[in-house]
Amino acid sequence: MTKQEKVKFTIQTLQKLYPEIPIPLDHTDPYTLLISVLLSAQSTDVRVNQITPLLFERANNPYDMVKLTVEEIKEIIRPVGLSPMKSKGIHGLSHILIDKYNGEVPVDMEALESLPAVGHKTASVVISQAFGIPAFPVDTHIHRLMYRWGFTNGKNVVQTEKDAKRLFPKELWNDLHLQIIWYGREYSPARGWNLDNDIITKTIGRKTVINEYYKKTSKK
């Protein structure tokens, strides 16, 4: 298979598996999505979705959020981890949204990335999922699969994002980002990986990855 044929096979397989793509994080608008994505850093979407209803019951907009203290926010979000940093970020960015953007989440990557506790990945998720602007946020699943499929060298997420944007059509970025995440969770996880279930890697995957997999499984 040529690289282009591998890309085509990947897209077609993902579209067959996920014709309708659920959004992993529960939210109602750009602000609640922004907060949810921020909370998901080094946590799980399941855990975040358990905690955000408690937080958003108290404050689901920046005006109500700044009425809470950092300590109050921290107590609510403690189960998702990194609560001291995240609570300060949530409180701080809510103030900035009120002061600079009339309480609205800006539709601009640079503005989003300048907010406290908001990195490139978080900004990319908000831009793509809240506003429909093409972006390709790279999480651990996408980073892992892009390497397994031989689409990137796996050095860092910055390079992986560049490679993904170069290989995949721009109009598919937002769907593919989510489709690859779901595929990684269901068929190609980091732990408990069964290559026989992972049709994409089994068909187009990097030979060194496949050989290493069989070496490990043959020793068990």
Side-chain angles (χ1 to χ4, degrees), residues 120-121 136-148 151-166 206:
H120 179 72
K121 181 203 155 193
F136 214 110
V138 174
D139 73 345
T140 55
H141 297 290
I142 293 175
H143 187 55
R144 179 177 67 255
L145 295 187
M146 286 286 290
Y147 178 76
R148 282 182 177 174
F151 291 158
T152 191
N153 59 25
K155 286 183 178 179
N156 54 61
V157 294
V158 175
Q159 186 60 49
T160 299
E161 182 179 334
K162 287 180 181 177
D163 291 332
K165 288 180 173 180
R166 177 176 53 82
R206 193 185 294 269

Side-chain angles (χ1 to χ4, degrees), residues 2-194:
T2 65
K3 178 68 71 70
Q4 207 52 45
E5 287 171 336
K6 290 179 178 180
V7 169
K8 185 178 180 180
F9 175 80
T10 300
I11 292 171
Q12 290 176 339
T13 303
L14 291 171
Q15 288 176 338
K16 285 178 184 176
L17 288 171
Y18 307 104
E20 295 182 8
I21 314 162
I23 303 294
L25 291 168
D26 297 337
H27 65 284
T28 55
D29 56 22
Y31 179 76
T32 53
L33 176 62
L34 174 61
I35 300 305
S36 296
V37 180
L38 186 158
L39 290 173
S40 70
Q42 296 185 40
S43 188
T44 65
D45 293 343
V46 171
R47 179 62 58 87
V48 172
N49 287 338
Q50 291 171 341
I51 297 304
T52 48
L54 305 176
L55 178 64
F56 296 150
E57 185 179 9
R58 299 280 303 276
N60 64 358
N61 62 77
Y63 295 96
D64 288 335
M65 194 67 75
V66 297
K67 294 175 184 176
L68 301 177
T69 65
V70 172
E71 192 62 33
E72 286 175 317
I73 297 171
K74 184 171 73 172
E75 283 305 309
I76 296 170
I77 68 170
R78 190 182 297 278
V80 303
L82 304 178
S83 58
M85 179 273 289
K86 291 177 181 177
S87 57
K88 289 177 183 177
I90 291 169
H91 201 265
L93 72 82
S94 297
H95 269 294
I96 293 172
L97 293 182
I98 293 168
D99 294 340
K100 291 185 67 175
Y101 303 105
N102 297 314
E104 300 292 329
V105 176
V107 190
D108 179 80
M109 279 291 293
E110 189 175 343
L112 283 167
E113 289 182 43
S114 70
L115 297 173
V118 176
H120 179 72
K121 181 203 155 193
T122 297
S124 296
V125 172
V126 173
I127 282 290
S128 65
Q129 294 180 14
F131 301 118
I133 297 170
F136 214 110
V138 174
D139 73 345
T140 55
H141 297 290
I142 293 175
H143 187 55
R144 179 177 67 255
L145 295 187
M146 286 286 290
Y147 178 76
R148 282 182 177 174
W149 296 341
F151 291 158
T152 191
N153 59 25
K155 286 183 178 179
N156 54 61
V157 294
V158 175
Q159 186 60 49
T160 299
E161 182 179 334
K162 287 180 181 177
D163 291 332
K165 288 180 173 180
R166 177 176 53 82
L167 289 170
F168 296 117
K170 191 172 185 177
E171 65 272 16
L172 299 181
W173 287 357
N174 289 354
D175 284 351
L176 283 169
H177 152 247
L178 290 171
Q179 288 167 327
I180 294 172
I181 288 174
W182 286 113
Y183 186 88
R185 291 176 178 179
E186 295 187 50
Y187 299 101
S188 194
R191 296 180 181 179
W193 179 34
N194 184 343

